[in-house]
């Protein structure tokens, strides 16, 4: 077995936003073919993890989140053991901040952070590119978090191409009380009604500073939860320059500044990236 180097790690587990999201079609395996530019942002959970010599133990500050095998964190530890053949077990505490059913990839990020931490704690020295391949078995957007933090993602969302987009942009993420289920929104999507926009040229635009924020899943999400339509309109009226849904919703990320209607949760965030060999930090 590989030598143990670290005994305890405390890591940020960031949210993501989809700067743009195109749905290109439905696949024979039931998933949708995507082309999306994803960005890690400074809204983070905190994961504390250490090796133990008994069995995996997960605790969470949010009592509404299950801490059994259905949690993607424990799917990640189990996948790590299966892939490496190691017997290591872990004690993990998850300090939850990222809202769920929000399209912000919180659970996926927790899984990716766990995989990266297991690799570090056991000194297994699996390259991030291999961890990303494994991550795709947990969920379509888990692999993204093993990228440098900005990536053009295709396939189910698991095929990563790291890109450099130079932002000075801050975003306000705004979330209504109601959440949305990803399978439900994909199920509602009318692919034939989508505009046939070329994702590669939109990506090129982003790299050149021409930020065309949009999301093909937005119409289905607004249809499923009509209050989102009013919310989006109100946020525009209140001053925000752009108001775009992240993932399958229900949160919006906004640029510019504006008044946030009473009762809505909001988070001021900025893009974050990570350096090779390091995990994410929130420092701008
Ligand atoms: O991969 P993940 O488990 O996160 O996906 C959750 C659900 O979202 C899938 O079961 C599927 O209904 C939908 N989905 C999809 N196409 C994708 C990603 C997710 O239809 N590219």
């Amino acid at each position: 077995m590989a030598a143990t180097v670290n005994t305890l790690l405390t890591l940020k587990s960031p949210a993501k936003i989809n700067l743009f999201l195109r749905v290109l079609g439905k696949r024979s395996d039931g998933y949708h073919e995507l082309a999306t530019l994803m960005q890690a942002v400074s809204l983070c959970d905190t994961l504390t993890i250490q090796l133990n010599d008994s069995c995996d133990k997960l605790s969470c500050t949010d009592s509404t989140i299950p801490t059994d095998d259905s949690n993607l964190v424990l799917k990640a530890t189990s996948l790590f053991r299966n892939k490496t053949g190691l017997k290591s077990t872990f004690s993990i505490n998850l300090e939850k901040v990222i809202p769920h059913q929000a399209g912000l990839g919180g659970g996926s990020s927790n899984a990716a952070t766990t995989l990266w931490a297991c690799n570090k704690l056991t000194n297994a020295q699996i390259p991030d590119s291999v961890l990303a391949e494994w991550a795709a078995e947990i969920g379509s957007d888990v692999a993204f978090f093993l990228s440098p933090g900005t990536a053009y993602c295709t396939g189910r969302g698991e095929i990563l191409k790291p890109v450099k987009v130079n932002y000075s942009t801050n975003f306000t993420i705004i979330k209504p009380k109601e959440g949305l289920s990803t399978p439900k929104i994909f199920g509602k999507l009318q692919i034939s009604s989508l505009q046939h926009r070329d994702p590669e040229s939109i990506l090129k635009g982003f790299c050149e500073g021409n930020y065309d924020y949009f999301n093909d899943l937005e119409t289905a999400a607004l249809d499923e939860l009509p209050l989102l339509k009013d919310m989006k309109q109100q946020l525009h009226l209140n001053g925000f320059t752009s108001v775009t849904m992240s993932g399958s919703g229900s949160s919006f990320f906004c640029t510019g500044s504006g008044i946030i209607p009473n009762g809505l949760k909001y988070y001021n965030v900025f893009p974050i990236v990570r350096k090779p060999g390091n995990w994410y930090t929130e420092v701008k």
Side-chain angles (χ1 to χ4, degrees):
M1 195 194 285
T4 300
V5 282
N6 287 301
T7 51
L8 184 136
L9 286 174
T10 299
L11 298 172
K12 292 293 173 195
S13 177
K16 59 82 181 162
I17 54 175
N18 299 77
L19 297 173
F20 77 85
L21 189 157
R22 276 282 286 121
V23 181
L24 304 174
K26 186 150 186 196
R27 307 171 10 155
S28 53
D29 62 4
Y31 282 89
H32 291 77
E33 196 66 21
L34 303 182
T36 178
L37 180 58
M38 295 215 250
Q39 175 63 59
V41 293
S42 57
L43 170 64
C44 296
D45 294 337
T46 303
L47 193 124
T48 305
I49 176 165
Q50 65 187 128
L51 283 160
N52 68 25
D53 49 16
S54 50
C55 59
D56 286 344
K57 289 174 188 159
L58 174 62
S59 55
C60 183
T61 54
D62 180 343
S63 60
T64 65
I65 290 179
T67 51
D68 62 7
D69 290 354
S70 66
N71 193 301
L72 297 189
V73 164
L74 295 185
K75 287 199 196 298
T77 54
S78 167
L79 181 82
F80 183 77
R81 277 189 296 273
N82 288 340
K83 294 288 188 184
T84 58
L86 295 172
K87 302 270 181 282
S88 318
T89 51
F90 305 88
S91 297
I92 302 158
N93 182 60
L94 188 55
E95 210 180 300
K96 242 355 211 175
V97 178
I98 305 170
H100 48 259
Q101 289 206 307
L104 299 172
S108 298
S109 171
N110 297 160
T113 306
T114 303
L115 268 183
W116 193 87
C118 291
N119 192 32
K120 265 270 177 274
L121 286 170
T122 59
N123 195 26
Q125 300 190 10
I126 312 295
D128 282 358
S129 56
V130 176
L131 290 179
E133 275 171 36
W134 296 353
E137 294 183 27
I138 304 174
S140 301
D141 56 9
V142 181
F144 160 72
F145 294 96
L146 291 147
S147 77
T150 315
Y152 179 57
C153 305
T154 52
R156 284 191 290 129
E158 88 287 19
I159 302 170
L160 310 178
K161 180 176 150 197
V163 291
K164 270 217 151 63
V165 178
N166 279 330
Y167 290 111
S168 53
T169 317
N170 286 359
F171 300 99
T172 307
I173 292 175
I174 305 181
K175 160 90 179 50
K177 270 200 308 293
E178 295 78 0
L180 284 173
S181 138
T182 301
K184 201 162 190 180
I185 299 307
F186 272 105
K188 270 197 116 137
L189 180 69
Q190 303 280 339
I191 293 179
S192 56
S193 67
L194 299 175
Q195 277 184 45
H196 295 274
R197 306 179 60 193
D198 173 24
E200 298 279 345
S201 56
I202 300 159
L203 176 65
K204 189 163 172 278
F206 266 92
C207 295
E208 291 167 355
N210 180 14
Y211 308 143
D212 184 4
Y213 306 106
F214 77 95
N215 184 341
D216 276 350
L217 292 172
E218 197 169 295
T219 308
L222 267 52
D223 200 40
E224 173 66 19
L225 191 57
L227 65 87
L228 291 175
K229 223 174 281 177
D230 298 338
M231 190 175 143
K232 180 168 168 136
Q233 211 167 31
Q234 192 62 54
L235 291 169
H236 272 303
L237 286 172
N238 287 7
F240 287 105
T241 312
S242 70
V243 181
T244 313
M245 178 145 287
S246 184
S248 54
S250 59
S251 68
F252 290 107
F253 63 93
C254 309
T255 59
S257 54
I259 298 163
I260 295 152
N262 282 341
L264 293 179
K265 271 210 147 173
Y266 71 96
Y267 311 87
N268 293 318
V269 305
F270 51 86
I272 59 171
V273 291
R274 69 186 184 100
K275 297 200 174 89
N278 293 341
W279 197 240
Y280 296 92
T281 57
E282 285 170 289
V283 182
K284 201 171 183 185

